[in-house]
């Protein structure tokens, strides 16, 4: 085996693609939280084992937050297009042949296996999605054995040799709002899973050892994401988070003086999952009672066509100073909204339309929207800048070009705020015309939050606050 270099060179083309990707990641996501990036060694072979919740965006995110080049394993179906194949190859992607795509070409995975070992031998980083496909569930699906076989085979070939030891790093991706523009996302790097302890067993019994090591990788990935074991529990967890997580965030802000960015939303979500599992085992009647209360409250929201956010805002009753500040922001921000919405309407609307019509499953939506926007936004921005430059000159055209992305973000935030205001006005109208209905909504929400608060306190008492 040839002597590996300390680290594989990134390459100018990959560096350029990563730079472009970083801009679009900054533009599309309100906040990207990168946890423990130091787990990735600065040099030497690395195998990243990543969960796969959002299709191509997953690779863009991981590549954008790392400084090292990543060779992703990508489905061979993407390589059928000659132009896309050239781009993926230039980026270092490695085709993998899945049975559901083309069962007649499964034998070519031997070349995939060799390409991974070769990249690792050069001291490179290989990224693999062991689940084998994207999915929208709040759980890590049962992973396949490919990652374990690559890691064990690489280590077994270098006993006493010059090759650098492999670092197998589990990576968790958690999207706060999968389809939303300007959402939050967490990229979490876990501690390396040691490979050498499995080598002796691998030489004696490869099949059993690969299965055992696959379990270790599964547990490593699950530790970096919000993982819900069952689909029916996932619905309950989602409902509790929708109603109660903001209450927990507010408690942490008031009790510990934390800013919103300092609060670990994934940890809160895991706490909700852990407490749900706890009561599911010890007090299933309580879980069922909470679920029925949530369903009843949701039915009322649907009946009166109002949103929970409006009911919550009604109960909070903001101080006059806050209402004045919000009103002033709405008035002062309106011209910026009009400007940003005017120059960004088509490049914002077209990707949504394309994503809606082209997505075959939920995890395709964000990818179609992201990729279409990467084409539509620069195209429209360039066309609009050209028109402004022709009419008013290069200086005004340059200022206009700089203003377009920023004004688009401002317009979107204003639009979200306007949607909340509209929802609150609708609830205010309901309170004026049907006071009993508005009172019933607020009463049911208060009772539901009180029940969740009691459950939280009971859980913390029983577990000594282990999850918070």
């Amino acid at each position: 085996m040839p002597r590996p270099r300390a680290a594989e060179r990134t390459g100018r083309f990959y560096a350029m693609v990563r730079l472009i990707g970083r801009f679009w990641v900054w533009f599309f996501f309100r906040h990207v939280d990168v946890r423990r990036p130091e787990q990735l060694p600065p040099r030497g072979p690395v195998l990243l084992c990543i969960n796969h919740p959002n299709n191509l965006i997953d690779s863009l995110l991981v590549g954008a937050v790392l400084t090292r080049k990543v060779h992703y394993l990508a489905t061979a179906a993407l390589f059928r297009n000659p132009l896309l194949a050239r781009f993926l190859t230039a980026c270092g992607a490695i085709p993998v042949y899945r049975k559901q795509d083309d069962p007649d070409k499964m034998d070519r995975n031997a070349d995939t296996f060799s390409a991974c070992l070769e990249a690792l031998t050069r001291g490179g980083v290989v990224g693999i999605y062991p689940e084998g496909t994207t999915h929208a569930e709040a759980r890590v699906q049962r992973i396949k054995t490919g990652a374990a076989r690559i890691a064990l085979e690489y280590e077994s070939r270098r006993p006493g040799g010059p090759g650098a030891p492999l670092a197998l790093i589990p990576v968790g991706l958690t999207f706060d709002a999968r389809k939303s523009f300007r959402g939050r996302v967490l990229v979490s790097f876990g501690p390396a899973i040691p490979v050498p302890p499995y080598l002796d067993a691998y030489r004696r019994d490869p099949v059993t050892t690969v299965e055992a090591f696959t379990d270790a990788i599964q547990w490593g990935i699950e530790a970096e994401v919000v993982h819900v074991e069952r689909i029916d529990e996932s619905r309950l967890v989602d409902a509790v988070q929708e109603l109660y997580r903001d209450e927990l965030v507010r408690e942490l802000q008031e009790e510990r003086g934390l800013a919103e960015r300092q609060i670990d939303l994934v940890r809160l979500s895991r706490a909700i999952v852990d407490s749900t599992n706890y009561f599911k085992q010890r007090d299933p009647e309580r879980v069922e009672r909470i679920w029925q209360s949530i369903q009843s409250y949701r039915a009322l929201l649907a009946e009166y066509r109002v949103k929970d956010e409006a009911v919550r805002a009604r109960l909070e009753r903001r101080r006059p100073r806050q209402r004045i500040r919000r009103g002033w922001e709405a008035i002062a921000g309106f011209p910026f909204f009009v400007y940003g919405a005017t120059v960004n309407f088509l490049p914002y609307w077209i990707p949504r339309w394309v994503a809606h019509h082209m997505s075959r499953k939920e995890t395709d939506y964000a990818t179609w929207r992201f990729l279409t926007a990467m084409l539509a936004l620069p195209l429209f921005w360039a066309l609009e800048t050209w028109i402004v430059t022709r009419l008013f000159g290069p200086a005004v055209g340059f200022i206009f070009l700089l203003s377009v992305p920023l004004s688009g973000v401002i317009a979107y935030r204003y639009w979200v705020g306007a949607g909340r205001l509209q929802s609150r006005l609708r609830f205010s109208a309901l309170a004026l015309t049907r006071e009993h209905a508005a009172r019933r909504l607020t009463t049911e929400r208060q009772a539901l939050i009180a029940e969740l608060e009691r459950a939280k306190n009971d859980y913390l008492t029983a577990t000594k606050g282990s999850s918070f």
Side-chain angles (χ1 to χ4, degrees):
M1 183 179 292
R3 184 182 181 88
R5 288 173 282 181
E8 189 179 39
R9 293 181 60 186
T10 299
R12 292 182 179 178
F13 181 78
Y14 185 89
M16 181 186 69
V17 171
R18 182 177 60 202
L19 181 63
I20 295 172
R22 282 178 174 174
F23 169 78
W24 289 113
V25 165
W26 165 83
F27 185 78
F28 274 88
F29 293 100
R30 179 165 61 96
H31 183 60
V32 178
D33 182 17
V34 185
R35 180 186 295 171
R36 296 190 299 271
E38 69 279 1
Q39 295 290 351
L40 187 81
R43 60 184 60 85
V46 177
L47 182 62
L48 300 176
C49 297
I50 316 164
N51 69 313
H52 209 2
N54 220 1
N55 214 317
L56 184 61
I57 290 180
D58 300 340
S59 299
L60 289 171
L61 270 170
V62 175
V65 303
L66 296 179
T67 57
R68 299 185 61 182
K69 179 178 181 178
V70 183
H71 298 272
Y72 293 103
L73 269 69
T75 172
L78 296 175
F79 289 79
R80 293 171 184 168
N81 183 296
L83 186 61
L84 183 58
R86 290 186 64 182
F87 173 79
L88 292 173
T89 302
C91 289
I94 301 171
V96 60
Y97 299 87
R98 302 185 304 178
K99 187 174 182 179
Q100 61 264 41
D101 294 331
D102 196 340
D104 296 332
K105 294 183 178 180
M106 291 291 292
D107 58 323
R108 298 183 65 178
N109 277 327
D111 297 333
T112 301
F113 196 77
S114 298
C116 292
L117 295 178
E118 182 181 349
L120 294 173
T121 301
R122 293 195 306 266
V125 181
V126 173
I128 185 172
Y129 298 99
E131 292 170 292
T133 185
T134 60
H135 62 91
E137 300 169 13
R139 57 195 288 266
V140 180
Q141 292 187 342
R142 177 58 186 171
I143 68 173
K144 303 185 185 304
T145 59
R149 289 190 291 112
I150 291 171
L152 290 167
E153 189 62 24
Y154 172 83
E155 282 294 309
S156 67
R157 293 187 183 187
R158 63 162 211 94
L166 175 68
L168 191 151
I169 309 293
V171 183
L173 301 176
T174 304
F175 292 84
D176 198 37
R178 186 190 309 272
K179 295 182 178 181
S180 296
F181 178 66
R182 303 300 292 170
R184 294 183 62 171
V185 60
L186 169 69
V187 185
S188 181
F189 295 89
I193 301 174
V195 185
Y198 292 86
L199 289 179
D200 289 341
Y202 178 64
R203 296 185 184 100
R204 295 192 304 269
D205 188 352
V207 175
T208 303
T209 307
V210 164
E211 290 291 342
F213 193 45
T214 298
D215 289 340
I217 298 172
Q218 175 102 24
W219 298 331
I221 300 174
E222 289 177 1
E224 303 307 314
V225 300
V226 178
H227 178 79
V228 183
E229 286 290 344
R230 298 172 56 183
I231 302 299
D232 55 348
E233 290 178 8
S234 177
R235 293 173 58 203
L236 174 59
V237 168
D238 289 343
V240 173
Q241 285 195 115
E242 183 181 323
L243 289 166
Y244 191 50
R245 196 176 68 173
D246 286 344
E247 302 285 340
L248 296 175
V249 168
R250 189 174 60 185
E251 285 183 19
L252 291 173
Q253 289 176 321
E254 293 175 354
E255 294 175 4
R256 304 183 188 179
L258 298 175
E260 184 180 354
R261 286 193 173 188
Q262 295 176 298
I263 297 174
D264 191 339
L265 296 180
V266 173
R267 187 178 180 187
L268 285 180
S269 296
R270 282 184 184 151
I272 292 173
V273 173
D274 292 342
S275 57
T276 301
N277 291 333
Y278 175 87
F279 287 116
K280 194 91 172 179
Q281 295 174 3
R282 292 167 175 80
D283 193 355
E285 291 82 6
R286 187 178 201 173
V287 174
E288 183 63 26
R289 186 170 63 251
I290 291 175
W291 176 242
Q292 293 300 329
S293 298
I294 291 174
Q295 292 291 78
S296 174
Y297 175 65
R298 281 179 161 181
L300 281 177
L301 292 174
E303 180 181 351
Y304 297 116
R305 294 187 295 176
V306 296
K307 294 182 179 180
D308 173 65
E309 189 275 334
V311 182
R312 185 176 74 244
R314 182 80 170 190
L315 290 168
E316 289 175 356
R317 294 191 179 277
R318 297 184 185 275
R319 297 174 181 176
R321 182 180 298 178
Q322 289 178 312
R323 291 198 293 268
I324 293 172
R325 180 173 62 84
R326 289 295 177 90
W328 168 248
E329 289 176 351
I331 295 171
F334 185 72
F336 296 97
F337 163 73
V338 173
Y339 173 75
T342 300
V343 298
N344 287 281
F345 173 74
L346 283 177
Y348 175 77
W349 177 80
I350 289 174
R352 293 187 65 182
W353 184 88
V354 170
H356 178 73
H357 287 82
M358 297 298 293
S359 301
R360 296 182 179 178
K361 55 182 181 179
E362 184 178 346
T363 53
D364 291 340
Y365 181 90
T367 295
W368 273 109
R369 186 175 178 182
F370 193 96
L371 293 179
T372 307
M374 287 180 67
L375 296 175
L377 286 168
L379 179 64
F380 278 91
W381 290 349
L383 178 61
E384 291 169 347
T385 302
W386 177 79
I387 294 173
V388 171
T389 302
R390 290 292 300 269
L391 293 176
F392 303 104
V396 176
F398 180 71
I399 295 173
F400 173 82
L401 178 61
L402 294 179
S403 72
V404 173
L406 183 60
S407 67
V409 174
I410 293 174
Y412 180 79
R413 292 186 63 180
Y414 192 96
W415 179 257
V416 172
R420 291 173 180 168
L421 177 61
Q422 182 184 22
S423 177
R424 293 174 187 182
L425 290 175
R426 182 181 291 118
F427 185 77
S428 297
L430 179 69
L432 289 173
T433 57
R434 304 178 67 178
E435 184 181 356
H436 70 283
R439 189 183 301 113
R440 184 180 177 189
L441 278 165
T442 55
T443 301
E444 288 217 11
R445 192 183 201 283
Q446 285 177 312
L448 183 53
I449 295 300
E451 178 64 29
L452 291 172
E453 190 71 18
R454 285 192 294 272
K456 182 199 75 173
N457 293 332
D458 291 346
Y459 173 72
L460 292 178
T461 301
T463 62
K464 297 181 174 58
S466 58
S467 293
F468 285 85

